[in-house]
């Protein structure tokens, strides 16, 4: 069987880690990317212990040079990347009136430009093969907005626009491009929120709980599968119903 190779960015923890674990148990070959190689190696070792194939590569999504060199190392190891999951993301919250230019730019650079440059790395191979899957991890706030997160929300809404444009541009090559928009998920990103704010979010969520990284990973696993071959340009909400 021709094993497909998936590259997941931000694979060292949280949602990205849950994605690589779910995809490895489904038989995919994994490339794990993030800045901290040590943590990636730990996750890759766990996958290998379970009998899977995994390669860890340090990539800083805020640098196009780092993206180009990291993807070429991954390609040397496993050949073509069949599936890209753009999951890495950062927040630098603050009110717009006081937001520093550096905080605006760095969030846009990592979350949106980084995802786009990663897509550019994998597109030629996917187009040649006439098969590919791209999943961009957006956010519920990219759909509904959120005060204090203008930079992050702009990056996440931008990912939705990117998803829909690309889906139209490359659909004829049998490449699907979709977004997953998680709601409130229990990871390092939400760890620092006050108990009061967490409770408020849970109260506003019809399913009355925070999501787990695995909830998001299941959606990603579906969208990259052969079974999802007629779904493109879609934004799949994994948010417990907080936004419909
Ligand atoms: P997390 O636990 O903070 O993990 C973020 C991951 O991204 C880490 O692996 C981190 O590794 C990597 N990363 C950060 N900056 C990077 C950079 N410049 N280059 C490469 N990798 C980088 O976050 P999470 O909650 O799992 O979030 C994953 C995605 O889901 C993000 O895009 C986030 O915006 C989105 N999301 C999360 C929630 C939520 O409630 N948690 C809700 C909606 C959407 P290193 O630090 O080692 O680089």
């Amino acid at each position: 069987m021709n094993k497909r190779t998936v590259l997941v960015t931000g694979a060292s923890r949280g949602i990205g880690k849950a994605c690589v674990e779910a995809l490895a148990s489904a038989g995919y070959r994994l490339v794990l990317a993030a800045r901290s190689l040590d943590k990636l190696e730990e996750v890759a070792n766990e996958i290998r212990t379970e009998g899977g194939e995994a390669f860890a590569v340090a990539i800083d999504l805020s640098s196009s040079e780092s993206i180009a060199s990291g993807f070429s190392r991954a390609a040397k190891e496993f050949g073509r990347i069949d599936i890209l999951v753009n999951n890495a993301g950062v927040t630098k919250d603050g009110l717009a009136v006081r937001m520093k230019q550096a905080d605006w730019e760095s969030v846009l650079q990592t979350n949106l430009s980084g995802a786009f440059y990663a897509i550019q790395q994998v597109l030629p191979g996917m187009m040649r093969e006439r098969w590919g899957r791209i999943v961009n991890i957006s956010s519920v706030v990219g759909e509904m907005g959120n005060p204090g997160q203008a930079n992050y929300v702009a990056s996440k809404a931008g990912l939705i626009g990117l998803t829909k444009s690309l889906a139209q541009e490359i659909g004829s090559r049998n490449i699907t491009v979709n977004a997953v928009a998680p709601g409130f998920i229990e990871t390092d990103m939400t760890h620092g929120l006050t108990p009061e704010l967490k409770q408020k979010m849970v109260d506003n969520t019809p399913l009355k709980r925070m999501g787990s990284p695995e909830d998001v990973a299941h959606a990603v696993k579906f969208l990259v599968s052969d079974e999802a071959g007629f779904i493109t340009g879609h934004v799949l909400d994994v948010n417990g119903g907080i936004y419909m």
Side-chain angles (χ1 to χ4, degrees), residues 94-135:
L95 295 176
V97 69
R98 280 197 295 272
M99 187 175 285
K100 294 199 172 64
Q101 188 177 342
D103 290 348
W104 170 264
E105 286 176 355
S106 70
V107 170
L108 267 292
Q109 225 161 26
T110 300
N111 297 7
L112 183 57
S113 304
F116 179 66
Y117 296 138
I119 288 169
Q120 282 193 317
Q121 292 294 319
V122 298
L123 269 189
M126 290 180 178
M127 289 166 89
R128 266 195 306 276
E129 280 309 301
R130 295 197 157 263
W131 198 95
R133 295 273 189 271
I134 297 169
V135 177

Side-chain angles (χ1 to χ4, degrees), residues 3-4 20-30 32 42-55 78:
K3 247 191 174 187
R4 287 194 172 125
V20 294
E21 287 168 350
L23 292 166
S25 15
Y28 293 91
R29 191 187 282 134
L30 266 309
L32 288 66
E42 271 174 39
V43 182
N45 276 332
E46 282 167 30
I47 291 172
R48 290 183 206 115
T49 309
E50 299 288 318
E53 276 184 87
F55 175 66
F78 283 154

Side-chain angles (χ1 to χ4, degrees), residues 34-113:
R35 289 168 301 185
S36 48
L37 192 56
D38 289 1
K39 282 193 195 149
L40 288 175
E41 287 292 3
E42 271 174 39
V43 182
N45 276 332
E46 282 167 30
I47 291 172
R48 290 183 206 115
T49 309
E50 299 288 318
E53 276 184 87
F55 175 66
V57 60
I59 296 180
D60 181 353
L61 267 302
S62 67
S63 148
S64 53
E65 292 81 24
S66 171
I67 294 170
S69 76
F71 274 75
S72 89
R73 252 175 296 148
K76 272 192 201 114
E77 183 72 18
F78 283 154
R80 197 170 53 91
I81 308 293
D82 305 287
I83 299 165
L84 171 65
V85 181
N86 272 320
N87 163 77
V90 289
T91 53
K92 281 195 182 147
D93 297 350
L95 295 176
V97 69
R98 280 197 295 272
M99 187 175 285
K100 294 199 172 64
Q101 188 177 342
D103 290 348
W104 170 264
E105 286 176 355
S106 70
V107 170
L108 267 292
Q109 225 161 26
T110 300
N111 297 7
L112 183 57
S113 304

Side-chain angles (χ1 to χ4, degrees), residues 9-16 33-36 39 59-62 86-91 110-111 137-140 152 156 181-190:
T9 68
S12 55
R13 51 195 153 88
I15 292 169
R35 289 168 301 185
S36 48
K39 282 193 195 149
I59 296 180
D60 181 353
L61 267 302
S62 67
N86 272 320
N87 163 77
V90 289
T91 53
T110 300
N111 297 7
I137 306 298
S138 177
S139 167
V140 64
Y152 180 76
K156 294 297 176 180
F184 193 44
I185 310 297
E186 206 150 12
T187 69
D188 288 354
M189 193 175 266
T190 49

